[in-house]
Amino acid sequence: RYNSGVKYLLIDKVNRFMRELKMIFYFMVEFEKLGVKVVFCDPSQQKLNADTAEGSYEIARKGYEAEAENEERSLTSFTKMKARVALGYYPFYPHQGYKKTEAADGLHIPDQPRFSLLQKALKATASLQMTPKEAQQWLASNGYRTPVIYRKDKDGKKVRKGERILDISHFTDIMKAPYYAGILEVSDWPVNKNGLH
């Protein structure tokens, strides 16, 4: 788009096409509009280069195979995650005060010292020894900081975030989260009241 001198997009070898068949044709049309010819270089994929009905069919067939494979993989992954939750694991990002194990199997373990501090604050609010605001201030004064996370900025560079004082809004969200009572609620899946965390 920015360099009209580019006339070819050379693809060494297609491993697999993208998620949706319609996207393949969308990009093929976009490249055509730009006057760029897509060329598949691998000898076993030469049929994809033909400007014929057979060439279009081969691309469509490859796209169909990729989309079917993606659907199957997604369904398998979904089924596996649902089964893990039924066993008490939580195969998603851990909540504050917890971290993943080295095995990354969905078992969350205490992230010390955050876990102990948060546990004391939650017990104090549950027993009415502190108001939520007092508990949040107690956490801040005792050094509770949110865990380090990495996000990408608008230029795609990794930026270190987190390590902040837990604000009252997030603390009250934690107070209401079933996760902290050992309950796993995920979408419309059956609720598991015996989370292993």
Side-chain angles (χ1 to χ4, degrees), residues 15-100:
N15 182 5
R16 56 197 294 271
F17 277 103
M18 58 188 73
R19 291 182 187 278
E20 296 178 21
L21 187 55
K22 62 187 173 190
M23 293 303 288
I24 295 164
F25 288 106
Y26 167 77
F27 283 112
M28 297 296 277
V29 169
E30 286 299 301
F31 284 124
E32 194 174 306
K33 281 184 197 169
L34 295 169
V36 174
K37 169 81 173 154
V38 177
V39 180
F40 299 93
C41 300
D42 190 84
S44 69
Q45 296 175 338
Q46 293 294 301
K47 282 194 258 183
L48 303 175
N49 292 324
D51 288 327
T52 61
E54 185 185 3
S56 297
Y57 166 76
E58 285 299 322
I59 289 172
R61 189 175 64 78
K62 283 272 190 193
Y64 166 77
E65 287 170 3
E67 193 166 344
E69 184 184 321
N70 277 316
E71 280 179 18
E72 185 181 341
R73 182 178 292 155
S74 173
L75 189 60
T76 302
S77 175
F78 176 84
T79 304
K80 282 182 181 173
M81 282 198 294
K82 198 170 179 180
R84 298 298 287 163
V85 170
L87 291 171
Y89 294 89
Y90 191 74
F92 307 100
Y93 196 78
H95 291 239
Q96 296 255 357
Y98 288 89
K99 63 183 179 180
K100 294 179 179 181

Side-chain angles (χ1 to χ4, degrees), residues 95-109:
H95 291 239
Q96 296 255 357
Y98 288 89
K99 63 183 179 180
K100 294 179 179 181
T101 63
E102 289 297 316
D105 56 2
L107 177 62
H108 295 176
I109 57 175

